[in-house]
Amino acid sequence: MAGPCRLTLLDCEIDEIGALLSEVAARYSFVDDTGFLMEAERLAHGLPRRLRAFLAECRAAERPLFVIARWPVDDAALGLTPPDWRAGCADHESIHRHQLLLVLAASLLGDPFTLSSAQGGHLVNHIVPVAGAERQISAASSEELGWHTEEAGFRFRPDHLGFICLRNPQRVPMMIGLADHLVLDPAVREILRSPLFGMPQLGAAERIEYAPVLYGDVDRPYLSADSVYMVPAPGDRAAAEAWEVLGAAIDTALRPFVMEPGDLYFLDNHRAVHGRPAFLPRYDGADRWLLRVKIGRDLRASRPYRGGAGTRVIDFDRLG
Ligand SMILES: [Fe+2]
């Protein structure tokens, strides 16, 4: 990979952001506050001009991965990496400004949203290793997290994912596979553009819906795939073979991306799959700690499943 698009913050920009966050934090104590979320995009226009221009350019050009670097994260002020998301949400004061910045930047790409079933319906999710849950996908550590599109096959899957890295002492990378880097012959591409690849549906896991894994422009396709849960249509040999070929192509295309504390980074969920190698957490309060937000470019389709126009939580119990 030629490397992600990157903007490195200048001292004066860090000061400008700090002043904006002080203003916002004085008015809003919780990042889930509906008032804050209704206002977030307007507030985000107070971010430095160069940062706004960078995000606008990356969004318009559909950059698969882009990074805003050098936001200061004071490791001592963070306190301990929480043992799970509940602890992270309960004790959020030390990370409040980082959460606000993540949501403000995300608001220039679309609307941050979440599912009621994900970490209590909180908008900003804690990605931390959880003792005893090493083999569960969401909190895994000692198991590899296989490459996937976030919520592949879900009708409201995010258009972008946004992260801020608070801590990454072992320099555990995210593995990124870009749709642009897949080498596939036209016959395989054609099969992958057919609705032959099934995913269990969120809210109705017993129901599998079949969809293409490649879609959009023929020469520069979008990608929706999941190495763990996706299955080719039963009995369709061509689909099974194309799925194998795609898997090998993505494995070849995967590149590590190491995030440093203070990196805000954004993935286009239609243009790249992501995963993570296994690592051994220490559970000593200093483990890897990321904050994540999901971003939709247009939330109207999910409006029947959200409590109001300004509500960013999709009610999981109403899906199905
Ligand atoms: Fe993911």
Side-chain angles (χ1 to χ4, degrees):
M1 171 158 64
C5 292
R6 175 177 294 269
L7 177 88
T8 302
L9 293 172
L10 305 172
D11 287 345
C12 59
E13 292 168 330
I14 292 169
D15 292 345
E16 206 179 324
I17 294 169
L20 175 67
L21 294 182
S22 295
E23 204 180 293
V24 178
R27 294 177 54 206
Y28 297 109
S29 308
F30 294 94
V31 79
D32 293 306
D33 188 313
T34 305
F36 167 61
L37 296 173
M38 290 289 276
E39 215 187 342
E41 186 191 349
R42 185 187 69 73
L43 293 169
H45 289 296
L47 289 168
R49 173 189 282 264
R50 210 170 58 103
L51 184 154
R52 287 181 284 134
F54 174 75
L55 290 173
E57 193 278 330
C58 291
R59 180 186 189 278
E62 300 188 328
R63 306 272 182 227
L65 174 65
F66 43 104
V67 185
I68 297 167
R70 209 176 158 254
W71 171 245
V73 173
D74 178 349
D75 191 75
L78 282 180
L80 303 180
T81 298
D84 56 30
W85 68 264
R86 281 185 183 81
C89 290
D91 182 21
H92 72 283
E93 271 180 39
S94 64
I95 57 165
H96 185 46
R97 290 165 69 87
H98 303 312
Q99 290 183 313
L100 289 173
L101 176 56
L102 178 59
V103 171
L104 289 178
S107 298
L108 294 175
L109 298 172
D111 291 317
F113 74 98
T114 191
L115 274 167
S116 61
S117 55
Q119 301 201 356
H122 288 288
L123 194 69
V124 175
N125 298 149
H126 294 263
I127 310 292
V128 293
V130 176
E134 288 84 354
R135 287 164 190 270
Q136 291 174 20
I137 290 293
S138 60
S141 52
S142 58
E143 292 259 305
E144 177 190 61
L145 181 59
W147 52 257
H148 60 283
T149 298
E150 197 71 16
E151 290 157 2
F154 180 42
R155 61 197 140 141
F156 308 134
R157 70 178 169 276
D159 292 300
H160 297 273
L161 296 177
F163 299 85
I164 183 166
C165 175
L166 299 179
R167 198 168 263 157
N168 189 14
Q170 294 163 288
R171 305 192 88 246
V172 179
M174 180 176 275
M175 302 303 292
I176 308 283
L178 306 189
D180 282 351
H181 289 178
L182 298 179
V183 180
L184 299 164
D185 71 52
V188 171
R189 278 179 183 257
E190 197 54 42
I191 296 165
L192 293 171
R193 293 179 72 87
S194 306
L196 294 170
F197 304 90
M199 278 293 287
Q201 292 301 291
L202 281 176
E206 70 290 347
R207 200 175 81 227
I208 293 185
E209 281 190 8
Y210 291 87
V213 294
L214 297 182
Y215 54 102
D217 184 65
V218 174
D219 297 323
R220 203 170 174 239
Y222 297 137
L223 171 67
S224 176
D226 187 307
S227 61
V228 178
Y229 294 112
M230 192 168 269
V231 288
D236 190 319
R237 204 167 141 194
E241 284 173 7
W243 178 244
E244 286 277 309
V245 171
L246 176 76
I250 293 179
D251 287 343
T252 303
L254 283 178
R255 296 288 181 274
F257 164 64
V258 177
M259 47 284 191
E260 309 287 349
D263 281 350
L264 281 103
Y265 54 105
F266 298 91
L267 274 177
D268 186 326
N269 199 36
H270 297 264
R271 305 271 296 127
V273 291
H274 63 283
R276 178 194 37 70
F279 71 104
L280 278 180
R282 296 179 290 225
Y283 304 124
D284 59 356
D287 276 322
R288 183 177 185 259
W289 186 8
L290 314 176
L291 302 177
R292 180 192 66 193
V293 71
K294 297 173 186 173
I295 305 158
R297 286 196 180 202
D298 181 356
L299 297 192
R300 288 201 163 185
S302 65
R303 177 63 185 83
Y305 307 96
R306 292 181 289 115
T311 302
R312 302 298 179 76
V313 183
I314 295 175
D315 186 346
F316 184 79
D317 295 331
R318 286 156 72 179
L319 298 172

